Amino acid sequence: MVEKVVEMELPVGEKLSIIKNRILPDSCEKEYEETGMLSKKLPRIALVTGIHGDELEGQYVCYEIARRIREQKENLTGIVDVYPAINPLGIENAVRSIPTSDMDMNRNFPGDTEGDPTEQLAAAVVADIAGADFCLDVHASDIFVKEIPQVRVSEEFSERMLPYAELLNVDMIWMNATATVHESTLAHSMNLLGIPTMVVEMGLGGRINKSYGNQVVDGIFNLMKKLGIWKGEIAIMQHPVVSTDGEVEFIRAEHVGIFLPAIEHNHYVREGDLIGEIVNPVDGTVRERITASRGGLIFTLREYPVVTHGALLARILV
Amino acid sequence: MYIKDLYTVESLYRENMVVKGYQFGKGDKAACIIGSLRGNELQQMYICSQLVRKLKELEANDCISSGKEILVVPVVNAYSMNVGKRFYGVEQTDLNRTFPGSSYGTSTARLTDAVLQQIKDYSYGIQFTSFYMQGEFVPHVRMMETGYQNTSLANLFGLPYVVVRKPKPIDTKTLNFNWQDEMTAAFSVYSNRSDEIDENAARQVVAAVLRFLTRMGILHYESHSGYISHVIKEEDLTDIHARKGGFFRPFVKAGEEVRYNQECAEIVDPYEGEILERIVAPTDGIIFFAHTNPLASENEILFRLIHRLHE
């Protein structure tokens, strides 16, 4: 059942609402509809996405989770709260930040009930998720680089989170990826509150990769089974590579130009293999040939061709 | 005056963006002043331009203390200013949330690292910056409570207020925080607005910086003593929120004194023109911040009030 987590009046005839779909076992729906609560404690997972308006992979994940549960509702034994759009204005306007303030929603947690509108929205989301047994924050990459399905966990919470991360059917678990697990993020805030929370990243900003989405959805059902929320069959899981920052090689542009990749995403390279070229469309010259300094899996590859100094071209898991 | 190129950003189809520093005097790195980091910080760059003009004049009259060097960087992010964007580059990154940067990181991180490397050895750092909320401030000096902050020094600007803010995690990425981390005594100076030029406010801030430099022995300059600043903690400000969305019709401005229950603004129905909400002062005080956008959302902070302070 779709509920409003928080709503806020915009200046001109519109309310901004953050919604969630609370999916309950059939046996509990009537009681919840009538009383707004349940007499018995059920395990609960919060699936959150759409914090960044340009990351849409989570839209498919939400759809597919709700669809599969509806088809096998008899297997649901807990509560699944789906939050499909934490930044609804960003999604509707195809921008990463909150359009009204230009603020990154994921730098405003845990929020403040007495703060500005963005902080109040963030605080309402945190309060609503509080009490869940698990929270999963689904992100895509930005529009510049493509990522394989991966879980990012901060070192601070790694010991506690690793067993959960291994259930999610992702290709990789990246420990201590500091940018994504920044202290002002939803994930960090929820972990500090004692709610085990992980961030999943996959695909590309502004796009949906159904194959990646299905892979992660299989993993979410596996996780829900371990949490006692699902009793249906689950797919065969793959074992992710677990890496630390020291095992990830960043490859960045040292020239401006147009990046033309010479390899496919999610493929292995050997040391010395050509990853791509940065070319100059004005005079037809190659400004930089980028080769792999170490062999490994290309788990990040640039999709947006225009590059400046420092632009991320690829990441190799060595 | 010596103009030096601090950092150059290359581009495929745009002219290179050169971050320029204007150096006055020679010797100890005494003070560095940074203007616009964001593309909408027009007032901040304007103040710097006026400061450069004034320092040129003072240097010509031998008013810069011997063995002291002042560096003024009017703008770091000229690319964004030229296209009317607040943030930097194709990834639209907030430069003032990307410090300390990294020489091997993203293009934004390389820019902020290069700037910080050039300015970190100055004893005093002054940044003209802006707030994320669109509105008007009483000119003030803002410091973060890092443990290194010194409000007595901030008082020497002679602006009406010094505000001390407890840093949130996101603040650790600002220039001010990282400057202090490098042991520079860093001050953020807020003029009244960002995206338009206010001559009077600009003159006030230029005078405040010259006053500070004089008091620190960096300049020989006779200036008015300014204010004995009132020091306030940011958490002690009283926020006045809108409870309805609509047109915002203010009756008071930043810097004005209000009395308890005084009507400060109205929220007006955007369709029918009726008054939806009357905004009244919850206490006596002075308006420290005033929202200036003609529209307001529910829960918007319309005013920040210095509680029970009188003119």
Side-chain angles (χ1 to χ4, degrees):
Chain A
M1 108 202 18
V2 177
E3 301 173 13
K4 284 180 182 166
V5 174
V6 58
E7 70 175 8
M8 205 170 273
E9 200 171 59
L10 295 173
V12 186
E14 180 188 356
K15 281 182 179 164
L16 160 65
S17 302
I18 296 177
I19 57 169
K20 75 171 173 189
N21 181 14
R22 169 155 285 190
I23 310 174
L24 295 159
D26 284 340
S27 58
C28 301
E29 277 189 354
K30 190 160 181 285
E31 181 191 3
Y32 187 75
E33 266 177 34
E34 287 172 356
T35 66
M37 57 181 77
L38 295 173
S39 51
K40 67 174 177 180
K41 168 97 172 101
L42 292 179
R44 171 159 75 100
I45 186 169
L47 299 174
V48 179
T49 195
I51 289 181
H52 293 135
D54 61 348
E55 297 180 6
L56 304 175
E57 299 282 3
Q59 299 304 304
Y60 178 73
V61 170
C62 290
Y63 159 75
E64 188 63 9
I65 290 279
R67 187 191 70 78
R68 290 192 199 178
I69 293 176
R70 197 174 57 245
E71 285 191 352
Q72 299 180 58
K73 194 71 184 295
E74 67 281 5
N75 288 321
L76 186 66
T77 53
I79 303 169
V80 181
D81 282 338
V82 179
Y83 301 75
I86 300 297
N87 176 12
L89 296 180
I91 292 175
E92 295 279 0
N93 288 281
V95 292
R96 183 175 184 80
S97 57
I98 301 164
T100 50
S101 63
D102 244 356
M103 299 283 286
D104 185 334
M105 183 85 188
N106 213 22
R107 297 291 179 272
N108 275 284
F109 289 100
D112 180 352
T113 54
E114 300 295 320
D116 64 44
T118 305
E119 291 172 314
Q120 292 197 26
L121 291 172
V125 169
V126 168
D128 203 76
I129 296 171
D133 296 280
F134 201 88
C135 175
L136 189 66
D137 181 13
V138 180
H139 286 251
S141 178
D142 55 26
I143 64 166
F144 303 103
V145 295
K146 189 175 187 180
E147 301 279 4
I148 60 172
Q150 59 199 268
V151 171
R152 295 185 181 175
V153 181
S154 76
E155 208 163 50
E156 187 179 350
F157 303 110
S158 59
E159 198 175 319
R160 184 179 178 205
M161 301 308 298
L162 192 57
Y164 293 113
E166 286 172 337
L167 299 172
L168 270 174
N169 201 33
V170 291
D171 294 338
M172 173 184 168
I173 298 169
W174 185 359
M175 318 288 272
N176 198 23
T178 47
T180 312
V181 293
H182 190 280
E183 286 178 9
S184 307
T185 60
L186 174 71
H188 190 88
S189 301
M190 297 315 300
N191 276 314
L192 283 183
L193 288 175
I195 315 289
T197 301
M198 284 187 312
V199 176
V200 173
E201 291 259 355
M202 61 178 152
L204 184 67
R207 298 284 181 273
I208 285 175
N209 182 321
K210 281 176 69 177
S211 170
Y212 286 167
N214 285 326
Q215 180 183 336
V216 169
V217 168
D218 286 345
I220 293 172
F221 276 92
N222 186 36
L223 172 67
M224 292 200 300
K225 191 156 188 173
K226 292 289 187 296
L227 293 170
I229 295 171
W230 186 252
K231 63 178 184 183
E233 290 297 311
I234 53 164
I236 296 167
M237 295 292 120
Q238 62 182 45
H239 294 287
V241 178
V242 180
S243 78
T244 59
D245 281 352
E247 295 161 325
V248 174
E249 185 84 0
F250 283 68
I251 298 173
R252 295 189 181 278
E254 297 305 332
H255 290 79
V256 299
I258 301 296
F259 175 64
L260 303 174
I263 47 163
E264 293 292 321
H265 180 235
N266 204 8
H267 277 62
Y268 282 88
V269 290
R270 287 170 302 187
E271 185 181 332
D273 282 355
L274 183 67
I275 289 175
E277 292 174 330
I278 296 174
V279 302
N280 183 354
V282 179
D283 59 12
T285 57
V286 175
R287 288 185 160 178
E288 187 181 352
R289 292 182 87 249
I290 298 105
T291 55
S293 52
R294 295 160 84 181
L297 175 69
I298 299 282
F299 73 93
T300 305
L301 186 63
R302 190 163 189 92
E303 287 278 333
Y304 189 80
V306 180
V307 295
T308 55
H309 293 101
L312 181 62
L313 303 178
R315 280 188 283 231
I316 302 175
L317 179 61
V318 295
Chain B
M1 182 182 77
Y2 169 64
I3 304 173
K4 54 184 181 184
D5 295 350
L6 302 180
Y7 188 67
T8 300
V9 176
E10 275 183 58
S11 167
L12 187 55
Y13 294 122
R14 295 180 73 172
E15 201 172 334
N16 290 350
M17 182 181 91
V18 181
V19 181
K20 290 179 185 295
Y22 292 76
Q23 184 186 318
F24 301 90
K26 205 170 180 186
D28 293 346
K29 290 177 183 285
C32 175
I33 297 120
I34 298 277
S36 162
L37 283 178
R38 296 170 176 139
N40 68 332
E41 292 178 343
L42 306 181
Q43 171 82 344
Q44 288 77 359
M45 185 175 177
Y46 182 73
I47 293 168
C48 267
S49 71
Q50 296 306 302
L51 196 58
V52 168
R53 188 179 62 81
K54 189 71 187 170
L55 287 170
K56 263 198 283 192
E57 190 185 306
L58 291 171
E59 190 176 47
N61 292 328
D62 280 337
C63 293
I64 295 175
S65 303
S66 70
K68 300 287 184 189
E69 179 187 312
I70 304 165
L71 182 71
V72 183
V73 185
V75 58
V76 175
N77 188 3
Y79 266 172
S80 298
M81 208 164 250
N82 285 333
V83 295
K85 297 276 189 190
R86 185 165 187 236
F87 297 140
Y88 177 74
V90 68
E91 290 168 350
Q92 284 295 285
T93 315
D94 186 352
L95 287 188
N96 206 28
R97 293 287 182 274
T98 321
F99 284 91
S102 160
S103 59
Y104 49 86
T106 63
S107 51
T108 313
R110 291 177 187 208
L111 171 57
T112 51
D113 169 71
V115 169
L116 189 60
Q117 293 308 316
Q118 298 270 2
I119 66 175
K120 70 183 172 63
D121 295 329
Y122 286 83
S123 302
Y124 303 105
I126 302 166
Q127 182 192 4
F128 302 138
T129 187
S130 63
F131 205 53
Y132 67 95
M133 292 191 295
Q134 188 182 344
E136 190 178 13
F137 276 107
V138 176
H140 66 280
V141 181
R142 186 175 289 235
M143 309 189 76
M144 282 197 218
E145 205 176 291
T146 55
Y148 305 126
Q149 85 282 359
N150 184 336
T151 53
S152 305
L153 277 183
N155 254 310
L156 300 180
F157 283 89
L159 284 171
Y161 300 98
V162 171
V163 178
V164 181
R165 169 184 169 86
K166 274 195 198 319
K168 295 182 176 179
I170 195 167
D171 292 321
T172 59
K173 296 285 187 183
T174 60
L175 170 59
N176 186 302
F177 188 95
N178 285 280
W179 230 346
Q180 289 195 52
D181 214 35
E182 297 284 354
M183 305 311 289
T184 294
F187 308 93
S188 297
V189 175
Y190 283 71
S191 179
N192 57 344
R193 300 181 76 139
S194 293
D195 44 11
E196 55 188 68
I197 305 303
D198 182 320
E199 286 283 357
N200 288 335
R203 269 201 297 273
Q204 186 184 15
V205 172
V206 169
V209 172
L210 295 178
R211 186 181 300 123
F212 179 82
L213 296 178
T214 302
R215 288 171 170 173
M216 301 318 297
I218 300 165
L219 287 182
H220 307 297
Y221 181 65
E222 284 292 324
S223 66
H224 186 274
S225 303
Y227 293 86
I228 298 170
S229 305
H230 191 83
V231 180
I232 47 180
K233 290 185 174 176
E234 192 176 51
E235 66 259 33
D236 292 339
L237 293 171
T238 302
D239 291 343
I240 307 177
H241 293 263
R243 296 292 163 224
K244 299 277 183 185
F247 280 120
F248 172 62
R249 185 191 281 159
F251 304 134
V252 292
K253 290 182 174 175
E256 288 184 22
E257 182 176 350
V258 292
R259 310 291 297 185
Y260 168 70
N261 225 17
Q262 179 181 333
E263 197 166 340
C264 298
E266 291 169 341
I267 300 294
V268 176
D269 186 316
Y271 293 100
E272 299 177 15
E274 303 292 341
I275 296 166
L276 295 172
E277 187 188 3
R278 294 180 198 278
I279 310 294
V280 297
T283 171
D284 289 359
I286 288 176
I287 302 285
F288 181 73
F289 166 82
H291 177 85
T292 52
N293 189 329
L295 294 172
S297 297
E298 182 185 356
N299 295 338
E300 198 93 58
I301 296 176
L302 301 177
F303 300 103
R304 309 192 89 181
L305 204 60
I306 309 170
H307 183 58
R308 287 191 186 156
L309 187 74
H310 302 282
E311 283 175 338

